[in-house]
């Protein structure tokens, strides 16, 4: 058996397009009690009523409804991609600097970071993603360019890029992230200039994608680490398994348990209202609905994915 790649398999044919249309109709009639993120000023300008869903299955068939072709800021979802690139560069030595455990506290907690002596609990809380950015700066002469090159290859879109307005908006309000970075620097877990590290972090979070582009970008995690567009091995099957596991445990901060309980897939959210979810060997699905619940995850997005896995009976459990 080839441990680096085994073919994706699908259950008896599922009419995903019909399911997406049913879910979309149901969600457009549901009261959305969430709120658009306002602590990043640029995100507050987004139309709160947008809803897009895009699913790509193991045969590279595409299914789409709503605003799935409109770009939005993917925010913390991009942390999965920076983690993947850092793993390619550093391998298992990366875990000496960042853990793989659920945080159980706020994504920007200073208290937990100090208690654990500057080693972030996982790579998806802010401190962990900042450490990952520090690694990328050490590994690459032009980390922004390398990151874009990597993501463009996964997405199949050579024009995919950052949103400078969002990045600069984040930099102007990143007081807590500055504090996290300085605390880790004090503990010896940041090697590079803090301003340079935070600049990369803010630009990472500003990446713009459509639901279609996001679903395609993350297909490597549904295909044992292989980019289905090119056949290139992005990461080993073991690393893909581990990234999916971290998404399952840590992808929604202190609501990760709720997402596993209701949806049953590895996933990652962003405060731009996006969610990516992976059913290994079956599909990648992206949802965008900007209003967030009290935990900072898309209110409608969570319900969309719960409905999809319930109707299709296609969670990992």
């Amino acid at each position: 058996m080839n441990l680096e790649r085994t073919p994706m398999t699908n259950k008896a044919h599922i009419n995903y397009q019909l399911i997406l249309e049913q879910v979309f109709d149901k969600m457009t009639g549901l009261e959305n009690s969430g709120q658009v993120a306002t602590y990043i000023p640029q995100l507050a300008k987004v139309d709160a009523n947008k809803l897009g869903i895009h699913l790509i299955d193991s045969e590279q068939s595409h299914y789409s409804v709503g605003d799935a072709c409109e770009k939005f800021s993917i925010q913390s979802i991009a942390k999965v991609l920076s983690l993947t690139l850092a793993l390619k560069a550093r391998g298992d030595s990366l875990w000496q600097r960042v853990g793989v455990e659920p945080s159980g506290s706020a994504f920007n907690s200073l208290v937990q970071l100090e208690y654990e002596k500057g080693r972030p609990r996982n790579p998806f809380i802010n401190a962990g993603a900042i450490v990952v950015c520090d690694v990328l700066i050490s590994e690459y002469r032009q980390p922004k360019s390398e990151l874009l090159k990597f993501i463009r290859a996964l997405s199949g879109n050579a024009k995919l890029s950052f949103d400078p307005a969002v990045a600069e908006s984040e930099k102007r309000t990143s007081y807590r992230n500055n504090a996290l970075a300085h605390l880790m620097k004090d503990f010896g877990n940041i090697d590079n200039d803090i301003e340079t590290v935070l600049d990369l972090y803010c630009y990472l979070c500003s990446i713009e994608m459509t639901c279609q582009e996001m679903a395609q970008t993350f297909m490597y995690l549904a295909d044992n680490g292989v980019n289905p567009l090119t056949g290139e091995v992005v990461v080993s099957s073991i690393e893909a398994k581990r990234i999916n596991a971290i998404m399952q445990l840590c992808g929604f901060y202190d609501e990760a348990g709720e997402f596993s309980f209701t949806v049953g897939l590895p996933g990652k959210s962003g405060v731009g209202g996006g969610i990516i979810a992976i059913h290994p060997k079956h599909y990648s699905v992206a949802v965008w609905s900007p209003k967030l619940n009290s935990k900072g995850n898309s209110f409608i997005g969570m319900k969309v994915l719960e409905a999809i896995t319930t109707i299709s009976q296609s969670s990992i459990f």
Side-chain angles (χ1 to χ4, degrees):
M1 179 184 292
N2 183 349
L3 295 180
E4 292 303 313
R5 181 176 189 182
T6 55
M8 290 194 291
T9 59
N10 225 331
K11 296 180 179 179
H13 180 70
I14 298 173
N15 190 337
Y16 287 118
Q17 186 61 41
L18 179 59
I19 291 172
L20 295 194
E21 289 170 3
Q22 290 174 343
V23 171
F24 184 84
D25 289 343
K26 181 179 180 181
M27 295 304 153
T28 51
L30 186 68
E31 182 180 355
N32 189 341
S33 61
Q35 300 292 326
V36 173
T38 57
Y39 69 94
I40 300 171
Q42 202 69 16
L43 295 185
K45 301 176 182 180
V46 175
D47 183 345
N49 297 312
K50 295 291 185 179
L51 175 59
I53 314 169
H54 195 97
L55 184 148
I56 306 175
D57 69 14
S58 59
E59 298 174 350
Q60 279 290 295
S61 296
H62 291 244
Y63 310 91
S64 189
V65 292
D67 302 304
C69 292
E70 184 169 335
K71 288 187 179 294
F72 62 95
S73 179
I74 71 170
Q75 291 292 309
S76 289
I77 297 169
K79 294 173 182 178
V80 181
L81 303 172
S82 58
L83 169 63
T84 302
L85 190 57
L87 267 177
K88 286 171 67 67
R90 288 282 176 93
D92 284 348
S93 67
L94 179 67
W95 306 123
Q96 296 171 12
R97 296 184 57 184
V98 61
V100 295
E101 298 292 339
S103 64
S105 59
F107 61 85
N108 57 1
S109 173
L110 284 158
V111 175
Q112 185 178 67
L113 186 63
E114 181 166 19
Y115 180 77
E116 297 182 345
K117 299 181 179 180
R119 182 175 181 260
R121 185 67 69 90
N122 65 68
F124 296 156
I125 56 175
N126 287 18
I130 290 169
V131 167
V132 169
C133 285
D134 184 57
V135 168
L136 294 179
I137 289 168
S138 295
E139 288 291 332
Y140 298 105
R141 185 172 298 177
Q142 296 181 312
K144 285 183 188 175
S145 297
E146 287 294 330
L147 190 61
L148 279 183
K149 178 183 176 182
F150 175 64
I151 298 172
R152 286 169 175 171
L154 292 175
S155 69
N157 180 359
K159 296 182 179 180
L160 188 146
S161 193
F162 307 113
D163 182 338
V166 171
E168 294 302 320
S169 179
E170 291 200 43
K171 287 170 67 175
R172 288 193 296 270
T173 57
S174 62
Y175 308 115
R176 176 69 65 125
N177 288 334
N178 266 278
L180 292 168
H182 278 89
L183 184 58
M184 289 188 291
K185 186 82 166 179
D186 185 61
F187 279 108
N189 202 16
I190 294 292
D191 295 330
N192 296 286
D193 173 70
I194 287 176
E195 186 175 340
T196 303
V197 174
L198 291 178
D199 177 74
L200 178 60
Y201 174 82
C202 289
Y203 271 83
L204 168 72
C205 292
S206 79
I207 291 170
E208 280 192 314
M209 289 189 190
T210 66
C211 287
Q212 185 276 329
E213 290 165 344
M214 191 160 71
Q216 186 67 68
T217 297
F218 283 85
M219 277 299 292
Y220 74 100
L221 292 176
D223 196 6
N224 290 319
V226 174
N227 180 351
L229 293 178
T230 63
E232 176 191 2
V233 176
V234 180
V235 289
S236 70
S237 58
I238 293 173
E239 288 169 329
K241 178 188 73 173
R242 290 175 176 172
I243 294 168
N244 276 322
I246 299 170
M247 291 171 71
Q248 187 80 53
L249 295 169
C250 311
F252 295 80
Y253 309 118
D254 48 349
E255 201 175 17
E258 180 71 16
F259 189 78
S260 288
F261 183 73
T262 58
V263 178
L265 297 176
K268 184 71 191 80
S269 64
V271 296
I275 300 178
I276 187 68
I278 307 297
H279 191 331
K281 299 186 181 181
H282 292 281
Y283 60 76
S284 166
V285 57
V287 183
W288 175 46
S289 176
K291 287 188 178 182
L292 310 178
N293 64 20
S294 60
K295 299 294 180 66
N297 299 313
S298 173
F299 178 84
I300 292 293
M302 297 275 283
K303 295 185 179 300
V304 163
L305 291 166
E306 179 183 5
I308 289 172
T309 57
T310 300
I311 295 170
S312 64
Q313 300 181 35
S314 60
S315 82
I316 66 171
F317 300 112

